[in-house]
Amino acid sequence: MSRKFYWVTITKSYLSAFALLIIVLFLLSLPSSYQLGVLTATLVSTSVEYDIVLDAGHGGIDSGGIGAGDVYEKDLVLDIVLRMRDILEGAGLKVGLTRDTDMDVTHLAKSKGTRHQRDLEGRFIALHSGKIGMSVHANTSKSSAEQGAIVFYRRNSYIGKQYATSVLEAIEQVQVLNHDYPVPRSNLMLIKAKPPVVLVEVGFLTNPDDLAKLTDPDFRQSIAEALCKGIANFYAVYRSEQSE
Ligand SMILES: [Zn+2]
């Protein structure tokens, strides 16, 4: 083996190792929710049991956002979701919840990972037991001026956009909008579930007006009713399209 050839061989294997390192670093740099999405999207084999699955964000050790006076996102969104369950069940829909108490959803995860990854995977799997789904959150911002609701849907999903629009139009009747259009996202794992799922931020805990609203049970009832109206309007059309 000539010296030159030897050198080329070594350089080649160095290059391959370097390329591999770059790929690994790239994968590690992706948000964990993205990695998890790649891992589990094809593995979910949950059977559909519910018309809708509602996901109250956070829970247990994860308080979510915190507003002045120790107001926890996990508590507010659970309260809203429990109200929604009552309303939707009253309308004759079969409703599943990812949680109905102050806990996380790690117990539903099938793979290993950090607590956060297993929690997200548990919710992702649970959302597949519904024909449609909704994840409910409250927002925080560095700016206390930022306020209002946001509805996220899966980027490039026509049906997701229809759903999000229906929900946004209903929210608009009771709450200020942060974005007056549904916002497409490609990096939120839960909205990448097979059934149409939207993620709703009902307001900002860091904004005094929104915080006052969200800590008022009457407002939480109003927003729960609005979310259900948005769901029902979309679901009626969706169900008839599915059965055609
Ligand atoms: Zn949240």
Side-chain angles (χ1 to χ4, degrees):
M1 191 186 291
S2 78
R3 213 182 186 139
K4 196 174 172 192
F5 181 74
Y6 185 62
W7 185 84
V8 168
T9 311
I10 288 189
T11 309
K12 260 190 185 162
S13 54
Y14 267 124
L15 276 177
S16 317
F18 185 67
L20 194 67
L21 181 70
I22 294 294
I23 291 168
V24 168
L25 286 176
F26 171 73
L27 287 173
L28 287 175
S29 74
L30 293 171
S32 56
S33 58
Y34 185 82
Q35 297 171 36
L36 198 62
V38 172
L39 287 174
T40 57
T42 53
L43 298 178
V44 176
S45 57
T46 315
S47 59
V48 176
E49 292 173 55
Y50 304 103
D51 290 302
I52 179 159
V53 171
L54 302 175
D55 172 46
H58 313 280
I61 196 172
D62 173 13
S63 62
I66 302 177
D70 278 346
V71 175
Y72 293 160
E73 175 185 357
K74 66 172 184 175
D75 297 327
L76 295 180
V77 295
L78 177 61
D79 180 82
I80 291 171
V81 158
L82 293 177
R83 290 169 190 273
M84 288 173 71
R85 175 182 63 182
D86 292 348
I87 297 164
L88 293 170
E89 283 183 350
L93 295 186
K94 220 172 159 207
V95 183
L97 301 180
T98 57
R99 67 181 182 101
D100 60 1
T101 180
D102 183 14
M103 62 189 286
D104 67 18
V105 190
T106 49
H107 58 282
L108 291 183
K110 292 184 174 131
S111 56
K112 296 190 174 73
T114 64
R115 192 210 64 84
H116 175 68
Q117 286 170 335
R118 282 179 288 119
D119 182 52
L120 202 56
E121 189 194 337
R123 292 170 203 268
F124 186 78
I125 289 171
L127 283 165
H128 286 81
S129 61
K131 289 175 188 150
I132 64 171
M134 177 181 282
S135 184
V136 182
H137 289 254
N139 227 330
T140 55
S141 167
K142 280 182 193 130
S143 160
S144 64
E146 191 154 13
Q147 68 178 131
I150 309 175
V151 181
F152 294 108
Y153 69 97
R154 176 189 190 152
R155 186 181 294 279
N156 297 327
S157 164
Y158 171 74
I159 205 87
K161 192 175 186 180
Q162 276 189 318
Y163 183 10
T165 303
S166 174
V167 171
L168 198 79
E169 282 171 1
I171 295 179
E172 197 175 13
Q173 309 300 315
V174 298
Q175 166 65 321
V176 179
L177 299 181
N178 184 273
H179 284 69
D180 60 1
Y181 52 89
V183 179
R185 290 283 292 269
S186 46
N187 61 346
L188 288 174
M189 177 169 175
L190 296 183
I191 60 179
K192 290 203 248 176
K194 254 181 257 160
V197 174
V198 292
L199 189 149
V200 179
E201 299 277 2
V202 292
F204 282 80
L205 298 176
T206 39
N207 174 264
D209 287 348
D210 276 2
L211 184 64
K213 285 179 191 169
L214 289 167
T215 48
D216 175 0
D218 289 342
F219 178 80
R220 292 200 299 272
Q221 181 65 25
S222 302
I223 198 116
E225 285 170 9
L227 291 172
C228 292
K229 202 167 132 189
I231 289 167
N233 288 343
F234 166 73
Y235 192 53
V237 177
Y238 179 67
R239 194 153 52 170
S240 69
E241 279 175 3
Q242 294 296 99
S243 62
E244 268 166 16

